[in-house]
Amino acid sequence: MPIVALNYNPLVYASISGLKGSLDATETDKEKETENMDIIMKSREDLTKEDLYFLVATEASKMQDLKGQTVTVKDWVVAKDVDKSTGEIKTILFVRSSDKTYATVSPTFIDSFKTIFSCFGTEFSKIKINSGKSNKGREFLTCEYAKA
């Protein structure tokens, strides 16, 4: 259930309320498209606009590339955005590790991530990326708490 084709960076189109200053008449189409993203959860209340920018507006790798690995979580954001091709509202999880940002729209991954947050609040720093197969043979991602 991808928000966009994963061969281009959906993060370039991301926006945060209040992040952009006043734009002049040369506003680009990409900038116009960025006004719909809503941040619904974040790793900490004191994330700066710069932190948010680097989470949602810089190039991200696919979370799927980390299957079987344990990742250090520096910051994260859960956002809702409109899929430009279908008009459907999608939930996206952005996770910044010490060296890279990763993103996923996998509902099972996002649900398992929210469960970790519900149990540990901001007191977790590592997650393990897992995959599984549905009854219909489709692969899906999940994550679990990993001790620091």
Side-chain angles (χ1 to χ4, degrees):
M1 192 158 83
I3 188 166
V4 291
L6 291 176
N7 60 350
Y8 84 92
N9 181 6
L11 309 178
V12 171
Y13 298 97
S15 172
I16 302 162
S17 295
L19 177 62
K20 298 190 309 186
S22 60
L23 297 173
D24 60 20
T26 62
E27 180 178 58
T28 66
D29 287 341
K30 285 182 184 176
E31 289 169 329
K32 289 177 186 173
E33 291 175 1
T34 65
E35 298 174 359
N36 296 329
M37 182 174 282
D38 292 318
I39 304 300
I40 57 173
M41 293 175 69
K42 54 188 175 179
S43 54
R44 52 192 169 91
E45 287 302 313
D46 65 343
L47 278 177
T48 66
K49 290 178 181 182
E50 182 179 47
D51 291 332
L52 290 171
Y53 173 82
F54 284 113
L55 273 163
V56 303
T58 58
E59 188 165 339
S61 297
K62 299 175 194 174
M63 195 70 71
Q64 188 168 0
D65 295 343
L66 298 173
K67 286 187 288 189
Q69 296 182 40
T70 298
V71 176
T72 299
V73 178
K74 182 176 177 187
D75 287 315
W76 56 268
V77 167
V78 177
K80 294 222 180 242
D81 199 8
V82 176
D83 182 327
K84 306 296 186 261
S85 62
T86 66
E88 192 176 351
I89 296 174
K90 299 287 184 167
T91 302
I92 312 165
L93 171 64
F94 302 95
V95 174
R96 185 167 56 174
S97 69
S98 54
D99 64 338
K100 219 172 198 181
T101 298
Y102 300 90
T104 185
V105 295
S106 166
T108 54
F109 189 95
I110 294 169
D111 287 345
S112 57
F113 189 89
K114 286 179 178 179
T115 299
I116 295 169
F117 178 72
S118 294
C119 292
F120 295 96
T122 58
E123 298 177 16
F124 71 97
S125 62
K126 292 189 178 213
I127 57 172
K128 182 172 183 204
I129 315 301
N130 300 314
S131 65
K133 289 237 184 229
S134 72
N135 292 338
K136 294 184 179 183
R138 296 184 68 185
E139 186 176 40
F140 61 89
L141 289 179
T142 64
C143 64
E144 64 185 53
Y145 168 76
K147 288 186 179 184

